[in-house]
Amino acid sequence: MNVIVGFKKKMLSSVLAAGLVLTPLSVLGMPHSASAAASTAAQTAAISVTIDGAKLALNPSPVMMNGTTFVPMRAIFQALHASVSWEAGTKTIFAVKDGTTISLQLGSKQAVINGRASALSAAPQQIKGSTMVPLRFVAEALKADVQYDSKKHVISILSAEAISKKLDEQWEKEQEASKPSLLTAKQIVAQNDSKVVMVSTDMGLGSGVVIDTDEIVTNFHVVADAKEATATLLNGKEVQIAGIVGYDKDYDLAILKTKTPLNIAPVDIGLGVSKGDHVVAIGSPQGIQNTVSEGLVSNVSASYGNPYEYQISVPIDHGSSGGGLFNDYGQLIGLTSAGIDDSTADLNFAVSSMHILSLMYDLAENPPKKIEFLPSDLPDTLKGASLDTIQELMEDHFAEIQSSQGTTELQQFKVTRDADGWLVIEALIDPSFYMLYGHAASEDLRYWAINTGYKLRQLLPDDNIQLTVYYEQTFSFKPRGFDADEVTDLGDGKWRVRFPVIDYQGKDHAIVRVDA
């Protein structure tokens, strides 16, 4: 997989000169003298120190001895944002900053940085009643940058914090300079229309986006149960899908490999979405290929593990799953994936491109050994299976009905064969779900029945199958308006209402009725 993912990598480094070279006295205009005190005094008066552009007040003043500049220990460490302490018994200086610890001993030319010995050019010493330390060593140890202006006799120090800030500002300038241009909706479509395809499987329709020469990203639920698939390009050409390269079920993502190259440039994938951003979607709602719609990012979920992180006001529908969601720079920032039906608020959702990039990266690091569609978790056949086995299969694989109003779980499965030899499967729907959402979820109930019946007919092709889901509830009064066989007197003032919500019958053909 040809994937290049850019990440910000910032390394805080100290760009030091080859050494803090302090010019000999003769170069500074001071003749050699037998009087060390006089020459030292002259040099001290000539040297000043600045940190991040501000002159550092030092008392006593800096002293140069044998090419090494000494400054008061407490002033220099504190100016570089390190805490410092003095151990009088051992005459040892301790300094700590972030993850760095430093110790120096008066008179010793060996220091310790984070537990490792480090040689000094000159040992710390007492000068004019103050403990003085070599400036160059302190600056290097605390990752500061040191420069010396020999004409002005000024030592300029740039602290680690200033270096970091400078690097941040430079990175931000580079990012701003490289930011793509804003596009109109028409330009976004022109740039990406051919990169969005319609995905057709033996189970249904969806959409997908080209991310490589022969790879398409889509939603996992589009291809989860598929055994074969094709991608229809914008020009109408159909390309066979070889199988699934990899997937992330938790984030509803799958990457497909085509049998032949697509000859389409992949999308530019972007990151970062804010509430209120304008976005454009391209997909195939209801199989109407490469339909364009636009809207806003209505919300960004803060819930950990939520696959549909972006809520969008962009109109989408069944078949839009796996379609591209683009920002105003024409970058893919998500896949349109889900929505709430029977609402005028355009309550729709998308998977973030961050998870797409993560899946692509994982697959680049660990490519699959074999490209294929996912194996079915259903048996090849139920021919000769016991009624108990069929019931267990229904409970394990078909008990959940997912709808735009949420998921409900069927209860009390019962599998029998009637006097006519039909395989009869019965179950109960949650009465609360039915009462609240039955009408709004009616199409999803129908789809569940068609899908479940289709798979049962594959497993039991010789059987007449009837699959009935009932509403059942007990009341303390006799409900009115129901057929006589739908209301049962249980005694003790209790009455049970039971009637079919879903009735599926099929063999070579099927018929479905939904009462919702």
Side-chain angles (χ1 to χ4, degrees), residues 210-254:
V210 177
I211 57 171
D212 209 335
T213 55
D214 58 354
E215 290 183 354
I216 296 165
V217 64
T218 187
N219 285 133
F220 176 80
H221 73 258
V222 171
V223 294
D225 297 320
K227 291 183 173 57
E228 57 185 39
T230 59
T232 304
L233 311 186
L234 183 62
N235 61 11
K237 179 182 177 181
E238 291 189 354
V239 179
Q240 294 294 316
I241 304 295
I244 297 175
V245 180
Y247 63 92
D248 186 331
K249 188 174 181 180
D250 291 337
Y251 285 101
D252 196 15
L253 290 172

Side-chain angles (χ1 to χ4, degrees), residues 122-134:
Q125 52 191 286
Q126 291 281 344
I127 300 176
K128 298 181 180 180
S130 295
T131 301
M132 307 283 274
V133 294

